[in-house]
Amino acid sequence: MSFQTHEALRNRSSEQIAELALLGLRYRALGAGQIDFSDPSRLDVYWTGTRMVEKAVKDAVKSAKARSPLADSKFGIAQGNLSALFNCSVIDNETYMAQYKLLLDCRR
């Protein structure tokens, strides 16, 4: 069954579907309950692909510099985010290359 047969997804590009998936992940991270839209922090569009990748890379670099026991795990998370979001065309090549360079620099 193709996703194009679902009314809500019909005529959506792969980037739009990926963004919907990210919104769904954000919703689940918030507890998958009622969202209080009067709370300004809930309205911050944090889970854009670029911001998500930047945060993951920043966490990996910070862990590597602190020689944290979780540094390898954070590196893997950042690398996975980069690859997945780039392959789904959620982030552009410029963002991918810049963040990947930061990620590799922290491993040296």
Side-chain angles (χ1 to χ4, degrees):
M1 182 169 147
S2 170
F3 64 87
Q4 293 294 338
T5 60
H6 192 283
E7 183 65 31
L9 302 177
R10 189 172 296 138
N11 299 323
R12 303 268 187 246
S13 69
S14 60
E15 183 175 345
Q16 289 171 320
I17 292 172
E19 287 175 336
L20 283 171
L22 288 173
L23 287 173
L25 290 173
R26 178 173 187 248
Y27 177 68
R28 290 197 58 179
L30 292 174
Q34 294 292 326
I35 297 175
D36 179 13
F37 290 105
S38 64
D39 179 4
S41 68
R42 302 290 183 163
L43 301 177
D44 181 28
V45 185
Y46 179 77
W47 288 93
T48 64
T50 301
R51 288 179 74 185
M52 185 175 172
V53 165
E54 287 172 351
K55 181 175 180 351
V57 170
K58 180 180 174 184
D59 289 347
V61 169
K62 185 177 177 182
S63 291
K65 287 181 178 178
R67 299 186 190 273
S68 168
L70 296 175
D72 286 338
S73 174
K74 300 252 185 202
F75 180 86
I77 290 169
Q79 191 174 32
N81 283 341
L82 274 169
S83 297
L85 295 179
F86 179 70
N87 289 334
C88 291
S89 300
V90 175
I91 60 173
D92 60 10
N93 188 49
E94 183 178 321
T95 300
Y96 175 82
M97 295 304 288
Q99 294 301 314
Y100 203 79
K101 182 179 180 330
L102 290 173
L103 195 58
L104 289 180
D105 288 346
C106 82
R107 297 291 276 194
R108 291 184 187 154

